[in-house]
Structure formats: structure tokens, C-alpha cells
Amino acid sequence: MQVTFLGTSSGVPTRNRNVSAIALRLPQRSELWLFDCGEGTQHQFLRSELRTSQIRKIFITHMHGDHIYGLPGLLASLGLAGNSSGIDLYGPHALKSYINGILQSSSSRISYPFQINSIENPHFENHVVFEDEDFMVRCTPLIHRVPAFAYRVDQKPRPGRFDLNKAKACNIPPGPNYSQLQLGKKVKLDDGRILNGKDFCGPPRAGKSFVYCTDTIFSKAAIELAQGADLLIHESTFAHQDLDMAYQRKHSTSTMAAQAALEACVGQLVLTHLSPRYAPGNPVSPNDLLKEAKEIFPNTLLAKDFLQINVEKPETVCDT
Ligand SMILES: [Zn+2]
Ligand SMILES: [Zn+2]
């Protein structure tokens, strides 16, 4: 699992930071899942090594413009390019009328398979929005000025590592049998032997997990959703000194984000959705927000546009 930040500013774009969007590259699949799609996200794709044609799912946190104004343009461009094999969209109830209204009033037609999945019950915690054999995506309501959701992606446990030497030592002919055994399945060889893949694999490997939490003020539900996640991406619109503004506008401070990471025992925290008021050169800079957060949760990074992070299992397990 690899995350690429395509926009890390809150409200409006700045010279160095576009508005919210994050691309998640999934292992063993040549597909991208996009989380939020602020204005200019398709331009950010052009400036990155990522390809919009690989987007298969788009998850929208809430209906504020800095998270959705890039969506109609991206969807239309994918249609014109003719290289999308389909998009599933997930988000708040109002997403459907927003997209359908824009498509209708601009006489646009989506020429690829396209589905809008509304999250209908905004008070439902740990709601499963998508699941297949490899991944599960859940969401939970946040505390913001409009209905907003945090999303969690869990990769399901994978079979243990295949012991190639043991397979060779048992004189198993290479070929399709190996791939079946690698999946832990039983196979019957031409010589009549029946082998169980589980005897050739190590212990199951835990899947990786990532949580995207924006926009919100400090939220217990978000902490519950993020429990034990390998990577938590949390909004950090304000510095601690601007706590009053955070309460007023229902956003987080750097210290709230760090406290959430600490209480959720996550492996790593990344701060994003930074207010343009902290541009470098101003009295408070993004590095000050990072410093504040690190005092509470040391394994914290500051997001910047085009930063890529591989989601990794932490070496030490949190014991608080
Ligand atoms: Zn926002
Ligand atoms: Zn918002």
C-alpha cells in the first residue's frame, strides 16, 4: 500500500499546496483509490507519476468545495480520454445530486461504468462501505460543520510466505501447482500425492491498514476507527495557539491530531489539510505544527504535495 498526497492545503490552494486529495496505490492490483478530489486534482495527477486511468474508486469525506470541486472535471476528462474501465464513487447523500446536477446542466455524459454509492446513515459507526476478498473499507461519522466521514482501508491477512526450498525438496514439479500451494490450497499431483499448501506456507501475514480522517475536530469515533492502524492521515488545520478557531470551525489542531494518534495506538501519523495562514515565513509555520504534534506523538510527519509514503507495519507494538 502506498499513499501519494495530491493536495494538503485547507480551504484554498496555495503556491505549494493544492486542496485535498490522496491517492492510494494497492498492492497486487494496478489500481488507484482516490480519497477526496479538490479542485485541480487532475492537474496534480499530470504533475505526478500516477495515471488517472488507474482510478477505480473515489471516496469523498464531505461536501465542502475544497474536497469535491475537482470531481466533475476529473470524471469528464476520464470520459473524453476513453481509458477508464469504471469508477465507483462513495460519499455523503448529497454527492449524488451534486454529480448528477453538474452532468445534466453541462450536458456531460459518462461513457464508462459509473456508480454513486451514498452513505445513507450518517450516524452509523464502523459502517462497511466496500469489501472483497482482499480489502475492507469502513467509515465513521466525524464532527464537522456538515456530515463528514473518516475512512479506513484494511488489507485482509495474506497467506504466509511460500517455502520454495521445501517444495523443491518434495520434488513438486514447478508450474500451476506452485501458485495453488502458495494460496494455501490443496493440490493433487500427477503421481497421485495430495499436498496441502498450508504445509508449505509460513504463518499468515497481517494486512496493512490506513485511515484518512478529515475534516473534523477531535473525535472519539475517529479514534475508535483508527485503532491500531499502521498509518493515520489526520487533518491539522490549526496550530495549538488557534484552538478557539478550531472549535469555532470544527477543525483539528496539531495537538488534537497527535492526541488522536496516541489514543488510537497507530503506527505513524501524517498531518495534512493545513491552513494557508501558516505559510513558511509567517510567524507560525507548518514546521511549528509538526513540532507541537511530535511532542505528543513522536512518529509524526508533515504532508506536502506529492509526498509518497509506503504503509508499513510498525516495528514496535503500542502498549498503552
Ligand atoms: Zn476541508
Ligand atoms: Zn470541511
Side-chain angles (χ1 to χ4, degrees):
M1 258 191 211
Q2 186 187 57
V3 169
T4 304
F5 289 85
L6 295 167
T8 57
S9 176
S10 88
V12 294
T14 68
R15 204 177 272 262
N16 298 313
R17 294 179 185 272
N18 198 41
V19 280
S20 291
I22 283 175
L24 179 69
R25 197 200 295 261
L26 300 169
Q28 284 99 40
R29 295 189 187 197
S30 52
E31 60 184 72
L32 293 173
W33 291 0
L34 188 63
F35 291 81
D36 282 334
C37 188
E39 182 186 355
T41 296
Q42 61 172 321
H43 299 256
Q44 296 292 81
F45 265 92
L46 294 172
R47 293 186 194 111
S48 77
E49 48 155 47
L50 305 175
R51 292 204 301 268
T52 55
S53 59
Q54 290 193 324
I55 302 171
R56 291 289 171 274
K57 295 184 185 300
I58 304 176
F59 299 88
I60 298 295
T61 58
H62 66 296
M63 298 301 291
H64 276 157
D66 58 325
H67 299 255
I68 56 167
Y69 283 168
L71 198 47
L74 174 67
L75 295 175
S77 294
L78 283 172
L80 291 171
N83 57 6
S84 172
S85 51
I87 301 273
D88 286 329
L89 209 57
Y90 303 82
H93 180 78
L95 187 59
K96 202 170 243 176
S97 54
Y98 167 67
I99 292 296
N100 288 339
I102 290 183
L103 292 177
Q104 200 179 9
S105 51
S106 61
S107 305
S108 307
R109 207 175 54 81
I110 301 290
S111 53
Y112 46 86
F114 176 67
Q115 207 180 1
I116 305 175
N117 303 280
S118 301
I119 298 166
E120 292 298 346
N121 187 344
H123 305 296
F124 196 52
E125 291 180 8
N126 280 318
H127 175 66
V128 176
V129 287
F130 170 77
E131 185 169 13
D132 68 7
E133 63 276 15
D134 299 319
F135 293 96
M136 179 160 71
V137 184
R138 286 176 289 155
C139 77
T140 215
L142 295 168
I143 307 167
H144 195 42
R145 305 192 302 280
V146 296
F149 301 103
Y151 291 97
R152 173 176 181 136
V153 180
D154 280 295
Q155 182 187 21
K156 294 186 177 177
R158 294 161 296 151
R161 282 190 202 289
F162 185 59
D163 189 340
L164 190 64
N165 290 334
K166 188 174 177 184
K168 280 181 180 164
C170 290
N171 294 320
I172 304 168
N177 286 330
Y178 272 40
S179 51
Q180 291 301 304
L181 290 170
Q182 276 175 12
L183 293 171
K185 293 185 176 171
K186 282 185 181 171
V187 295
K188 187 175 181 188
L189 303 182
D190 291 344
D191 63 12
R193 281 185 294 162
I194 295 174
L195 301 172
N196 189 340
K198 292 198 171 88
D199 297 333
F200 295 87
C201 294
R205 288 172 286 172
K208 293 175 182 165
S209 51
F210 136 94
V211 178
Y212 178 52
C213 188
T214 192
D215 291 358
T216 189
I217 195 165
F218 186 77
S219 153
K220 285 282 177 194
I223 292 168
E224 197 186 308
L225 184 78
Q227 210 52 239
D230 301 319
L231 175 65
L232 169 63
I233 297 166
H234 199 291
E235 75 131 289
S236 170
T237 308
F238 294 111
H240 184 65
Q241 67 172 36
D242 294 319
L243 192 65
D244 287 351
M245 260 192 291
Y247 276 108
Q248 234 173 52
R249 299 181 192 182
K250 292 200 169 62
H251 278 299
S252 294
T253 60
S254 52
T255 47
M256 287 178 191
Q259 189 64 30
L262 185 72
E263 290 188 28
C265 288
V266 301
Q268 186 174 34
L269 168 67
V270 183
L271 306 178
T272 188
H273 199 269
L274 308 173
S275 167
R277 75 185 57 237
Y278 308 122
N282 289 0
V284 178
S285 76
N287 274 332
D288 294 315
L289 274 69
L290 177 63
K291 224 169 112 192
E292 289 175 343
K294 281 183 114 158
E295 279 171 21
I296 295 169
F297 191 81
N299 195 12
T300 303
L301 280 181
L302 193 63
K304 60 179 182 179
D305 287 18
F306 307 112
L307 172 71
Q308 284 192 330
I309 294 181
N310 288 318
V311 183
E312 301 289 359
K313 290 255 144 240
E315 281 168 18
T316 51
V317 177
C318 175
D319 57 2
T320 55

